[in-house]
PDB file of all heavy atoms in Angstrom:
ATOM      1  N   PRO A   1       1.347  38.318 -11.056  1.00  0.00           N
ATOM      2  CA  PRO A   1       0.970  37.080 -10.372  1.00  0.00           C
ATOM      3  C   PRO A   1       0.474  35.991 -11.328  1.00  0.00           C
ATOM      4  O   PRO A   1       0.816  34.818 -11.163  1.00  0.00           O
ATOM      5  CB  PRO A   1      -0.127  37.527  -9.402  1.00  0.00           C
ATOM      6  CG  PRO A   1       0.254  38.940  -9.079  1.00  0.00           C
ATOM      7  CD  PRO A   1       0.773  39.494 -10.391  1.00  0.00           C
ATOM      8  N   PHE A   2      -0.297  36.367 -12.338  1.00  0.00           N
ATOM      9  CA  PHE A   2      -0.773  35.365 -13.290  1.00  0.00           C
ATOM     10  C   PHE A   2       0.384  34.699 -14.021  1.00  0.00           C
ATOM     11  O   PHE A   2       0.363  33.482 -14.253  1.00  0.00           O
ATOM     12  CB  PHE A   2      -1.750  35.969 -14.308  1.00  0.00           C
ATOM     13  CG  PHE A   2      -2.188  34.967 -15.345  1.00  0.00           C
ATOM     14  CD1 PHE A   2      -3.153  34.023 -15.038  1.00  0.00           C
ATOM     15  CD2 PHE A   2      -1.606  34.942 -16.600  1.00  0.00           C
ATOM     16  CE1 PHE A   2      -3.540  33.079 -15.984  1.00  0.00           C
ATOM     17  CE2 PHE A   2      -1.987  34.003 -17.542  1.00  0.00           C
ATOM     18  CZ  PHE A   2      -2.964  33.064 -17.230  1.00  0.00           C
ATOM     19  N   ASP A   3       1.384  35.471 -14.395  1.00  0.00           N
ATOM     20  CA  ASP A   3       2.545  34.911 -15.101  1.00  0.00           C
ATOM     21  C   ASP A   3       3.322  33.941 -14.210  1.00  0.00           C
ATOM     22  O   ASP A   3       3.776  32.892 -14.675  1.00  0.00           O
ATOM     23  CB  ASP A   3       3.471  36.025 -15.588  1.00  0.00           C
ATOM     24  CG  ASP A   3       2.801  36.921 -16.612  1.00  0.00           C
ATOM     25  OD1 ASP A   3       1.969  36.422 -17.397  1.00  0.00           O
ATOM     26  OD2 ASP A   3       3.099  38.130 -16.620  1.00  0.00           O
ATOM     27  N   ILE A   4       3.446  34.291 -12.947  1.00  0.00           N
ATOM     28  CA  ILE A   4       4.120  33.408 -11.998  1.00  0.00           C
ATOM     29  C   ILE A   4       3.336  32.104 -11.862  1.00  0.00           C
ATOM     30  O   ILE A   4       3.903  31.008 -11.891  1.00  0.00           O
ATOM     31  CB  ILE A   4       4.282  34.105 -10.631  1.00  0.00           C
ATOM     32  CG1 ILE A   4       5.198  35.322 -10.771  1.00  0.00           C
ATOM     33  CG2 ILE A   4       4.829  33.138  -9.587  1.00  0.00           C
ATOM     34  CD1 ILE A   4       5.164  36.269  -9.586  1.00  0.00           C
ATOM     35  N   PHE A   5       2.003  32.235 -11.749  1.00  0.00           N
ATOM     36  CA  PHE A   5       1.152  31.043 -11.664  1.00  0.00           C
ATOM     37  C   PHE A   5       1.258  30.207 -12.940  1.00  0.00           C
ATOM     38  O   PHE A   5       1.375  28.981 -12.879  1.00  0.00           O
ATOM     39  CB  PHE A   5      -0.310  31.423 -11.404  1.00  0.00           C
ATOM     40  CG  PHE A   5      -1.211  30.229 -11.400  1.00  0.00           C
ATOM     41  CD1 PHE A   5      -1.273  29.396 -10.292  1.00  0.00           C
ATOM     42  CD2 PHE A   5      -1.951  29.894 -12.515  1.00  0.00           C
ATOM     43  CE1 PHE A   5      -2.066  28.256 -10.293  1.00  0.00           C
ATOM     44  CE2 PHE A   5      -2.753  28.765 -12.530  1.00  0.00           C
ATOM     45  CZ  PHE A   5      -2.809  27.948 -11.417  1.00  0.00           C
ATOM     46  N   SER A   6       1.218  30.860 -14.085  1.00  0.00           N
ATOM     47  CA  SER A   6       1.297  30.140 -15.369  1.00  0.00           C
ATOM     48  C   SER A   6       2.585  29.349 -15.495  1.00  0.00           C
ATOM     49  O   SER A   6       2.576  28.206 -15.958  1.00  0.00           O
ATOM     50  CB  SER A   6       1.181  31.123 -16.536  1.00  0.00           C
ATOM     51  OG  SER A   6      -0.079  31.721 -16.556  1.00  0.00           O
ATOM     52  N   ASP A   7       3.695  29.962 -15.086  1.00  0.00           N
ATOM     53  CA  ASP A   7       4.983  29.258 -15.132  1.00  0.00           C
ATOM     54  C   ASP A   7       4.949  28.010 -14.252  1.00  0.00           C
ATOM     55  O   ASP A   7       5.420  26.937 -14.645  1.00  0.00           O
ATOM     56  CB  ASP A   7       6.121  30.174 -14.680  1.00  0.00           C
ATOM     57  CG  ASP A   7       6.417  31.289 -15.662  1.00  0.00           C
ATOM     58  OD1 ASP A   7       5.933  31.249 -16.819  1.00  0.00           O
ATOM     59  OD2 ASP A   7       7.137  32.240 -15.268  1.00  0.00           O
ATOM     60  N   ALA A   8       4.374  28.151 -13.056  1.00  0.00           N
ATOM     61  CA  ALA A   8       4.288  27.011 -12.136  1.00  0.00           C
ATOM     62  C   ALA A   8       3.350  25.936 -12.679  1.00  0.00           C
ATOM     63  O   ALA A   8       3.632  24.740 -12.555  1.00  0.00           O
ATOM     64  CB  ALA A   8       3.804  27.484 -10.767  1.00  0.00           C
ATOM     65  N   ALA A   9       2.251  26.360 -13.293  1.00  0.00           N
ATOM     66  CA  ALA A   9       1.305  25.396 -13.864  1.00  0.00           C
ATOM     67  C   ALA A   9       1.960  24.613 -15.004  1.00  0.00           C
ATOM     68  O   ALA A   9       1.787  23.400 -15.122  1.00  0.00           O
ATOM     69  CB  ALA A   9       0.049  26.107 -14.356  1.00  0.00           C
ATOM     70  N   ARG A  10       2.727  25.294 -15.833  1.00  0.00           N
ATOM     71  CA  ARG A  10       3.433  24.611 -16.923  1.00  0.00           C
ATOM     72  C   ARG A  10       4.406  23.579 -16.362  1.00  0.00           C
ATOM     73  O   ARG A  10       4.468  22.450 -16.840  1.00  0.00           O
ATOM     74  CB  ARG A  10       4.176  25.610 -17.809  1.00  0.00           C
ATOM     75  CG  ARG A  10       5.015  24.935 -18.895  1.00  0.00           C
ATOM     76  CD  ARG A  10       5.664  25.927 -19.810  1.00  0.00           C
ATOM     77  NE  ARG A  10       4.756  26.410 -20.819  1.00  0.00           N
ATOM     78  CZ  ARG A  10       4.410  25.740 -21.921  1.00  0.00           C
ATOM     79  NH1 ARG A  10       4.901  24.550 -22.141  1.00  0.00           N
ATOM     80  NH2 ARG A  10       3.582  26.248 -22.780  1.00  0.00           N
ATOM     81  N   LYS A  11       5.153  23.956 -15.336  1.00  0.00           N
ATOM     82  CA  LYS A  11       6.093  23.007 -14.720  1.00  0.00           C
ATOM     83  C   LYS A  11       5.354  21.810 -14.135  1.00  0.00           C
ATOM     84  O   LYS A  11       5.823  20.668 -14.230  1.00  0.00           O
ATOM     85  CB  LYS A  11       6.923  23.705 -13.641  1.00  0.00           C
ATOM     86  CG  LYS A  11       7.956  24.628 -14.207  1.00  0.00           C
ATOM     87  CD  LYS A  11       8.726  25.352 -13.132  1.00  0.00           C
ATOM     88  CE  LYS A  11       9.669  26.357 -13.786  1.00  0.00           C
ATOM     89  NZ  LYS A  11      10.177  27.318 -12.847  1.00  0.00           N
ATOM     90  N   LYS A  12       4.186  22.055 -13.556  1.00  0.00           N
ATOM     91  CA  LYS A  12       3.379  20.968 -13.002  1.00  0.00           C
ATOM     92  C   LYS A  12       2.947  20.015 -14.117  1.00  0.00           C
ATOM     93  O   LYS A  12       3.070  18.789 -13.981  1.00  0.00           O
ATOM     94  CB  LYS A  12       2.152  21.544 -12.278  1.00  0.00           C
ATOM     95  CG  LYS A  12       1.196  20.528 -11.735  1.00  0.00           C
ATOM     96  CD  LYS A  12       1.731  19.872 -10.488  1.00  0.00           C
ATOM     97  CE  LYS A  12       0.678  18.998  -9.839  1.00  0.00           C
ATOM     98  NZ  LYS A  12       1.087  18.520  -8.527  1.00  0.00           N
ATOM     99  N   VAL A  13       2.451  20.563 -15.218  1.00  0.00           N
ATOM    100  CA  VAL A  13       2.017  19.725 -16.347  1.00  0.00           C
ATOM    101  C   VAL A  13       3.203  18.955 -16.922  1.00  0.00           C
ATOM    102  O   VAL A  13       3.085  17.769 -17.235  1.00  0.00           O
ATOM    103  CB  VAL A  13       1.319  20.580 -17.431  1.00  0.00           C
ATOM    104  CG1 VAL A  13       1.065  19.781 -18.693  1.00  0.00           C
ATOM    105  CG2 VAL A  13       0.006  21.152 -16.894  1.00  0.00           C
ATOM    106  N   GLU A  14       4.333  19.613 -17.039  1.00  0.00           N
ATOM    107  CA  GLU A  14       5.534  18.932 -17.556  1.00  0.00           C
ATOM    108  C   GLU A  14       5.954  17.784 -16.640  1.00  0.00           C
ATOM    109  O   GLU A  14       6.396  16.739 -17.121  1.00  0.00           O
ATOM    110  CB  GLU A  14       6.682  19.938 -17.707  1.00  0.00           C
ATOM    111  CG  GLU A  14       6.473  20.894 -18.854  1.00  0.00           C
ATOM    112  CD  GLU A  14       7.474  22.038 -18.885  1.00  0.00           C
ATOM    113  OE1 GLU A  14       8.209  22.250 -17.880  1.00  0.00           O
ATOM    114  OE2 GLU A  14       7.516  22.748 -19.905  1.00  0.00           O
ATOM    115  N   SER A  15       5.778  17.958 -15.327  1.00  0.00           N
ATOM    116  CA  SER A  15       6.145  16.883 -14.402  1.00  0.00           C
ATOM    117  C   SER A  15       5.127  15.747 -14.426  1.00  0.00           C
ATOM    118  O   SER A  15       5.480  14.586 -14.238  1.00  0.00           O
ATOM    119  CB  SER A  15       6.305  17.420 -12.983  1.00  0.00           C
ATOM    120  OG  SER A  15       5.063  17.739 -12.399  1.00  0.00           O
ATOM    121  N   LEU A  16       3.870  16.081 -14.657  1.00  0.00           N
ATOM    122  CA  LEU A  16       2.821  15.056 -14.723  1.00  0.00           C
ATOM    123  C   LEU A  16       2.868  14.259 -16.020  1.00  0.00           C
ATOM    124  O   LEU A  16       2.563  13.072 -16.037  1.00  0.00           O
ATOM    125  CB  LEU A  16       1.437  15.707 -14.588  1.00  0.00           C
ATOM    126  CG  LEU A  16       1.090  16.303 -13.234  1.00  0.00           C
ATOM    127  CD1 LEU A  16      -0.174  17.148 -13.333  1.00  0.00           C
ATOM    128  CD2 LEU A  16       0.919  15.197 -12.197  1.00  0.00           C
ATOM    129  N   PHE A  17       3.229  14.943 -17.112  1.00  0.00           N
ATOM    130  CA  PHE A  17       3.223  14.331 -18.437  1.00  0.00           C
ATOM    131  C   PHE A  17       4.552  14.582 -19.148  1.00  0.00           C
ATOM    132  O   PHE A  17       4.613  15.266 -20.170  1.00  0.00           O
ATOM    133  CB  PHE A  17       2.066  14.889 -19.278  1.00  0.00           C
ATOM    134  CG  PHE A  17       0.735  14.861 -18.592  1.00  0.00           C
ATOM    135  CD1 PHE A  17       0.077  16.033 -18.262  1.00  0.00           C
ATOM    136  CD2 PHE A  17       0.116  13.652 -18.276  1.00  0.00           C
ATOM    137  CE1 PHE A  17      -1.163  16.016 -17.632  1.00  0.00           C
ATOM    138  CE2 PHE A  17      -1.120  13.625 -17.646  1.00  0.00           C
ATOM    139  CZ  PHE A  17      -1.757  14.814 -17.320  1.00  0.00           C
ATOM    140  N   PRO A  18       5.646  14.036 -18.624  1.00  0.00           N
ATOM    141  CA  PRO A  18       6.963  14.334 -19.198  1.00  0.00           C
ATOM    142  C   PRO A  18       7.117  13.874 -20.648  1.00  0.00           C
ATOM    143  O   PRO A  18       7.908  14.451 -21.396  1.00  0.00           O
ATOM    144  CB  PRO A  18       7.930  13.586 -18.275  1.00  0.00           C
ATOM    145  CG  PRO A  18       7.108  12.564 -17.579  1.00  0.00           C
ATOM    146  CD  PRO A  18       5.720  13.101 -17.503  1.00  0.00           C
ATOM    147  N   GLU A  19       6.350  12.887 -21.035  1.00  0.00           N
ATOM    148  CA  GLU A  19       6.454  12.377 -22.407  1.00  0.00           C
ATOM    149  C   GLU A  19       5.764  13.285 -23.428  1.00  0.00           C
ATOM    150  O   GLU A  19       5.912  13.097 -24.634  1.00  0.00           O
ATOM    151  CB  GLU A  19       5.857  10.965 -22.477  1.00  0.00           C
ATOM    152  CG  GLU A  19       4.346  10.878 -22.315  1.00  0.00           C
ATOM    153  CD  GLU A  19       3.808  11.130 -20.906  1.00  0.00           C
ATOM    154  OE1 GLU A  19       4.568  11.152 -19.932  1.00  0.00           O
ATOM    155  OE2 GLU A  19       2.583  11.317 -20.783  1.00  0.00           O
ATOM    156  N   ALA A  20       5.028  14.282 -22.974  1.00  0.00           N
ATOM    157  CA  ALA A  20       4.230  15.120 -23.867  1.00  0.00           C
ATOM    158  C   ALA A  20       5.066  16.115 -24.668  1.00  0.00           C
ATOM    159  O   ALA A  20       4.674  16.503 -25.760  1.00  0.00           O
ATOM    160  CB  ALA A  20       3.164  15.859 -23.075  1.00  0.00           C
ATOM    161  N   GLY A  21       6.186  16.536 -24.128  1.00  0.00           N
ATOM    162  CA  GLY A  21       7.042  17.478 -24.853  1.00  0.00           C
ATOM    163  C   GLY A  21       6.317  18.754 -25.233  1.00  0.00           C
ATOM    164  O   GLY A  21       5.609  19.357 -24.429  1.00  0.00           O
ATOM    165  N   ASN A  22       6.460  19.156 -26.501  1.00  0.00           N
ATOM    166  CA  ASN A  22       5.857  20.397 -26.990  1.00  0.00           C
ATOM    167  C   ASN A  22       4.340  20.343 -27.108  1.00  0.00           C
ATOM    168  O   ASN A  22       3.710  21.376 -27.310  1.00  0.00           O
ATOM    169  CB  ASN A  22       6.459  20.786 -28.335  1.00  0.00           C
ATOM    170  CG  ASN A  22       7.887  21.252 -28.199  1.00  0.00           C
ATOM    171  OD1 ASN A  22       8.317  21.665 -27.119  1.00  0.00           O
ATOM    172  ND2 ASN A  22       8.638  21.171 -29.279  1.00  0.00           N
ATOM    173  N   LYS A  23       3.762  19.156 -27.001  1.00  0.00           N
ATOM    174  CA  LYS A  23       2.299  19.051 -27.061  1.00  0.00           C
ATOM    175  C   LYS A  23       1.629  19.816 -25.924  1.00  0.00           C
ATOM    176  O   LYS A  23       0.471  20.169 -26.007  1.00  0.00           O
ATOM    177  CB  LYS A  23       1.857  17.586 -27.006  1.00  0.00           C
ATOM    178  CG  LYS A  23       2.143  16.793 -28.251  1.00  0.00           C
ATOM    179  CD  LYS A  23       1.589  15.396 -28.054  1.00  0.00           C
ATOM    180  CE  LYS A  23       1.771  14.529 -29.253  1.00  0.00           C
ATOM    181  NZ  LYS A  23       1.178  13.187 -29.014  1.00  0.00           N
ATOM    182  N   ILE A  24       2.378  20.054 -24.865  1.00  0.00           N
ATOM    183  CA  ILE A  24       1.839  20.781 -23.709  1.00  0.00           C
ATOM    184  C   ILE A  24       1.326  22.156 -24.137  1.00  0.00           C
ATOM    185  O   ILE A  24       0.342  22.649 -23.590  1.00  0.00           O
ATOM    186  CB  ILE A  24       2.891  20.890 -22.591  1.00  0.00           C
ATOM    187  CG1 ILE A  24       3.075  19.500 -21.958  1.00  0.00           C
ATOM    188  CG2 ILE A  24       2.496  21.926 -21.543  1.00  0.00           C
ATOM    189  CD1 ILE A  24       4.213  19.397 -20.979  1.00  0.00           C
ATOM    190  N   ASP A  25       1.964  22.748 -25.140  1.00  0.00           N
ATOM    191  CA  ASP A  25       1.543  24.070 -25.608  1.00  0.00           C
ATOM    192  C   ASP A  25       0.070  24.107 -25.989  1.00  0.00           C
ATOM    193  O   ASP A  25      -0.588  25.127 -25.810  1.00  0.00           O
ATOM    194  CB  ASP A  25       2.380  24.516 -26.803  1.00  0.00           C
ATOM    195  CG  ASP A  25       3.826  24.806 -26.422  1.00  0.00           C
ATOM    196  OD1 ASP A  25       4.099  25.020 -25.220  1.00  0.00           O
ATOM    197  OD2 ASP A  25       4.684  24.813 -27.329  1.00  0.00           O
ATOM    198  N   LYS A  26      -0.454  22.998 -26.518  1.00  0.00           N
ATOM    199  CA  LYS A  26      -1.847  23.012 -26.984  1.00  0.00           C
ATOM    200  C   LYS A  26      -2.866  22.886 -25.850  1.00  0.00           C
ATOM    201  O   LYS A  26      -4.032  23.181 -26.051  1.00  0.00           O
ATOM    202  CB  LYS A  26      -2.083  21.935 -28.045  1.00  0.00           C
ATOM    203  CG  LYS A  26      -2.197  20.529 -27.538  1.00  0.00           C
ATOM    204  CD  LYS A  26      -2.503  19.549 -28.681  1.00  0.00           C
ATOM    205  CE  LYS A  26      -2.812  18.171 -28.151  1.00  0.00           C
ATOM    206  NZ  LYS A  26      -3.211  17.250 -29.175  1.00  0.00           N
ATOM    207  N   ILE A  27      -2.432  22.499 -24.666  1.00  0.00           N
ATOM    208  CA  ILE A  27      -3.395  22.317 -23.570  1.00  0.00           C
ATOM    209  C   ILE A  27      -3.163  23.231 -22.377  1.00  0.00           C
ATOM    210  O   ILE A  27      -4.004  23.305 -21.483  1.00  0.00           O
ATOM    211  CB  ILE A  27      -3.425  20.846 -23.071  1.00  0.00           C
ATOM    212  CG1 ILE A  27      -2.058  20.395 -22.523  1.00  0.00           C
ATOM    213  CG2 ILE A  27      -3.906  19.908 -24.153  1.00  0.00           C
ATOM    214  CD1 ILE A  27      -2.070  20.138 -21.057  1.00  0.00           C
ATOM    215  N   ILE A  28      -2.043  23.953 -22.343  1.00  0.00           N
ATOM    216  CA  ILE A  28      -1.704  24.682 -21.126  1.00  0.00           C
ATOM    217  C   ILE A  28      -2.714  25.780 -20.786  1.00  0.00           C
ATOM    218  O   ILE A  28      -3.090  25.935 -19.620  1.00  0.00           O
ATOM    219  CB  ILE A  28      -0.249  25.211 -21.150  1.00  0.00           C
ATOM    220  CG1 ILE A  28       0.192  25.634 -19.757  1.00  0.00           C
ATOM    221  CG2 ILE A  28      -0.073  26.317 -22.163  1.00  0.00           C
ATOM    222  CD1 ILE A  28       0.239  24.552 -18.734  1.00  0.00           C
ATOM    223  N   SER A  29      -3.179  26.539 -21.756  1.00  0.00           N
ATOM    224  CA  SER A  29      -4.139  27.615 -21.458  1.00  0.00           C
ATOM    225  C   SER A  29      -5.450  27.082 -20.894  1.00  0.00           C
ATOM    226  O   SER A  29      -5.910  27.564 -19.856  1.00  0.00           O
ATOM    227  CB  SER A  29      -4.391  28.481 -22.689  1.00  0.00           C
ATOM    228  OG  SER A  29      -3.234  29.230 -22.975  1.00  0.00           O
ATOM    229  N   PRO A  30      -6.079  26.092 -21.543  1.00  0.00           N
ATOM    230  CA  PRO A  30      -7.310  25.573 -20.948  1.00  0.00           C
ATOM    231  C   PRO A  30      -7.064  24.873 -19.611  1.00  0.00           C
ATOM    232  O   PRO A  30      -7.902  24.945 -18.707  1.00  0.00           O
ATOM    233  CB  PRO A  30      -7.885  24.622 -21.987  1.00  0.00           C
ATOM    234  CG  PRO A  30      -6.830  24.415 -23.008  1.00  0.00           C
ATOM    235  CD  PRO A  30      -5.843  25.524 -22.877  1.00  0.00           C
ATOM    236  N   PHE A  31      -5.920  24.220 -19.460  1.00  0.00           N
ATOM    237  CA  PHE A  31      -5.581  23.582 -18.192  1.00  0.00           C
ATOM    238  C   PHE A  31      -5.533  24.631 -17.073  1.00  0.00           C
ATOM    239  O   PHE A  31      -6.112  24.443 -16.002  1.00  0.00           O
ATOM    240  CB  PHE A  31      -4.238  22.854 -18.299  1.00  0.00           C
ATOM    241  CG  PHE A  31      -3.763  22.255 -16.999  1.00  0.00           C
ATOM    242  CD1 PHE A  31      -4.198  21.001 -16.605  1.00  0.00           C
ATOM    243  CD2 PHE A  31      -2.887  22.947 -16.172  1.00  0.00           C
ATOM    244  CE1 PHE A  31      -3.769  20.436 -15.400  1.00  0.00           C
ATOM    245  CE2 PHE A  31      -2.450  22.400 -14.966  1.00  0.00           C
ATOM    246  CZ  PHE A  31      -2.899  21.146 -14.578  1.00  0.00           C
ATOM    247  N   ILE A  32      -4.849  25.729 -17.326  1.00  0.00           N
ATOM    248  CA  ILE A  32      -4.759  26.800 -16.341  1.00  0.00           C
ATOM    249  C   ILE A  32      -6.154  27.310 -15.983  1.00  0.00           C
ATOM    250  O   ILE A  32      -6.482  27.478 -14.806  1.00  0.00           O
ATOM    251  CB  ILE A  32      -3.852  27.940 -16.853  1.00  0.00           C
ATOM    252  CG1 ILE A  32      -2.398  27.476 -16.854  1.00  0.00           C
ATOM    253  CG2 ILE A  32      -4.038  29.211 -16.030  1.00  0.00           C
ATOM    254  CD1 ILE A  32      -1.440  28.412 -17.572  1.00  0.00           C
ATOM    255  N   GLY A  33      -6.982  27.542 -16.996  1.00  0.00           N
ATOM    256  CA  GLY A  33      -8.340  28.013 -16.745  1.00  0.00           C
ATOM    257  C   GLY A  33      -9.141  27.042 -15.904  1.00  0.00           C
ATOM    258  O   GLY A  33      -9.850  27.447 -14.966  1.00  0.00           O
ATOM    259  N   ASP A  34      -9.027  25.759 -16.199  1.00  0.00           N
ATOM    260  CA  ASP A  34      -9.756  24.743 -15.433  1.00  0.00           C
ATOM    261  C   ASP A  34      -9.290  24.668 -13.992  1.00  0.00           C
ATOM    262  O   ASP A  34     -10.101  24.601 -13.066  1.00  0.00           O
ATOM    263  CB  ASP A  34      -9.616  23.358 -16.087  1.00  0.00           C
ATOM    264  CG  ASP A  34     -10.469  23.197 -17.329  1.00  0.00           C
ATOM    265  OD1 ASP A  34     -11.354  24.034 -17.574  1.00  0.00           O
ATOM    266  OD2 ASP A  34     -10.242  22.213 -18.056  1.00  0.00           O
ATOM    267  N   VAL A  35      -7.988  24.684 -13.798  1.00  0.00           N
ATOM    268  CA  VAL A  35      -7.443  24.577 -12.443  1.00  0.00           C
ATOM    269  C   VAL A  35      -7.836  25.794 -11.605  1.00  0.00           C
ATOM    270  O   VAL A  35      -8.180  25.669 -10.435  1.00  0.00           O
ATOM    271  CB  VAL A  35      -5.910  24.380 -12.491  1.00  0.00           C
ATOM    272  CG1 VAL A  35      -5.288  24.487 -11.121  1.00  0.00           C
ATOM    273  CG2 VAL A  35      -5.576  23.029 -13.109  1.00  0.00           C
ATOM    274  N   LEU A  36      -7.814  26.968 -12.208  1.00  0.00           N
ATOM    275  CA  LEU A  36      -8.253  28.166 -11.486  1.00  0.00           C
ATOM    276  C   LEU A  36      -9.737  28.081 -11.156  1.00  0.00           C
ATOM    277  O   LEU A  36     -10.152  28.390 -10.033  1.00  0.00           O
ATOM    278  CB  LEU A  36      -7.972  29.429 -12.315  1.00  0.00           C
ATOM    279  CG  LEU A  36      -6.503  29.822 -12.463  1.00  0.00           C
ATOM    280  CD1 LEU A  36      -6.364  30.951 -13.466  1.00  0.00           C
ATOM    281  CD2 LEU A  36      -5.902  30.222 -11.123  1.00  0.00           C
ATOM    282  N   SER A  37     -10.542  27.650 -12.127  1.00  0.00           N
ATOM    283  CA  SER A  37     -11.993  27.576 -11.926  1.00  0.00           C
ATOM    284  C   SER A  37     -12.367  26.621 -10.800  1.00  0.00           C
ATOM    285  O   SER A  37     -13.320  26.877 -10.057  1.00  0.00           O
ATOM    286  CB  SER A  37     -12.688  27.146 -13.219  1.00  0.00           C
ATOM    287  OG  SER A  37     -12.537  28.145 -14.193  1.00  0.00           O
ATOM    288  N   ILE A  38     -11.630  25.535 -10.670  1.00  0.00           N
ATOM    289  CA  ILE A  38     -11.897  24.570  -9.599  1.00  0.00           C
ATOM    290  C   ILE A  38     -11.823  25.260  -8.234  1.00  0.00           C
ATOM    291  O   ILE A  38     -12.565  24.926  -7.315  1.00  0.00           O
ATOM    292  CB  ILE A  38     -10.892  23.391  -9.662  1.00  0.00           C
ATOM    293  CG1 ILE A  38     -11.174  22.526 -10.869  1.00  0.00           C
ATOM    294  CG2 ILE A  38     -10.923  22.566  -8.384  1.00  0.00           C
ATOM    295  CD1 ILE A  38     -10.061  21.544 -11.183  1.00  0.00           C
ATOM    296  N   LYS A  39     -10.940  26.234  -8.115  1.00  0.00           N
ATOM    297  CA  LYS A  39     -10.752  26.966  -6.854  1.00  0.00           C
ATOM    298  C   LYS A  39     -11.569  28.264  -6.828  1.00  0.00           C
ATOM    299  O   LYS A  39     -11.311  29.149  -6.015  1.00  0.00           O
ATOM    300  CB  LYS A  39      -9.273  27.279  -6.628  1.00  0.00           C
ATOM    301  CG  LYS A  39      -8.401  26.050  -6.503  1.00  0.00           C
ATOM    302  CD  LYS A  39      -8.739  25.230  -5.270  1.00  0.00           C
ATOM    303  CE  LYS A  39      -7.760  24.090  -5.120  1.00  0.00           C
ATOM    304  NZ  LYS A  39      -8.038  23.252  -3.983  1.00  0.00           N
ATOM    305  N   ASN A  40     -12.535  28.378  -7.736  1.00  0.00           N
ATOM    306  CA  ASN A  40     -13.410  29.556  -7.811  1.00  0.00           C
ATOM    307  C   ASN A  40     -12.659  30.856  -8.081  1.00  0.00           C
ATOM    308  O   ASN A  40     -13.028  31.923  -7.588  1.00  0.00           O
ATOM    309  CB  ASN A  40     -14.273  29.686  -6.547  1.00  0.00           C
ATOM    310  CG  ASN A  40     -15.206  28.517  -6.395  1.00  0.00           C
ATOM    311  OD1 ASN A  40     -15.856  28.102  -7.350  1.00  0.00           O
ATOM    312  ND2 ASN A  40     -15.270  27.966  -5.204  1.00  0.00           N
ATOM    313  N   ILE A  41     -11.600  30.747  -8.863  1.00  0.00           N
ATOM    314  CA  ILE A  41     -10.843  31.912  -9.320  1.00  0.00           C
ATOM    315  C   ILE A  41     -11.167  32.069 -10.805  1.00  0.00           C
ATOM    316  O   ILE A  41     -11.168  31.074 -11.540  1.00  0.00           O
ATOM    317  CB  ILE A  41      -9.326  31.696  -9.116  1.00  0.00           C
ATOM    318  CG1 ILE A  41      -9.020  31.511  -7.625  1.00  0.00           C
ATOM    319  CG2 ILE A  41      -8.532  32.862  -9.698  1.00  0.00           C
ATOM    320  CD1 ILE A  41      -7.603  31.083  -7.339  1.00  0.00           C
ATOM    321  N   PRO A  42     -11.467  33.286 -11.256  1.00  0.00           N
ATOM    322  CA  PRO A  42     -11.812  33.466 -12.668  1.00  0.00           C
ATOM    323  C   PRO A  42     -10.745  32.891 -13.598  1.00  0.00           C
ATOM    324  O   PRO A  42      -9.553  33.139 -13.423  1.00  0.00           O
ATOM    325  CB  PRO A  42     -11.909  34.987 -12.821  1.00  0.00           C
ATOM    326  CG  PRO A  42     -12.178  35.498 -11.451  1.00  0.00           C
ATOM    327  CD  PRO A  42     -11.469  34.555 -10.519  1.00  0.00           C
TER     328      PRO A  42
END
């Protein structure tokens, strides 16, 4: 389930910031953690 969520989160970030390209790699892990935390998920 985490991998499925991670794939969807990456696609979301890519759609929000299409100009970012490979830079997304540097923020995707903390982004995922923040988005989960907002919903009270570890």
Side-chain angles (χ1 to χ4, degrees):
F2 177 78
D3 296 327
I4 296 166
F5 176 78
S6 295
D7 291 347
R10 176 176 279 282
K11 287 178 185 165
K12 176 75 172 189
V13 171
E14 288 170 347
S15 73
L16 291 169
F17 310 114
E19 70 288 347
N22 289 338
K23 288 183 178 181
I24 288 172
D25 292 341
K26 76 177 188 175
I27 61 113
I28 195 63
S29 290
F31 176 85
I32 289 169
D34 284 347
V35 171
L36 289 172
S37 294
I38 290 167
K39 298 295 185 181
N40 297 314
I41 298 171

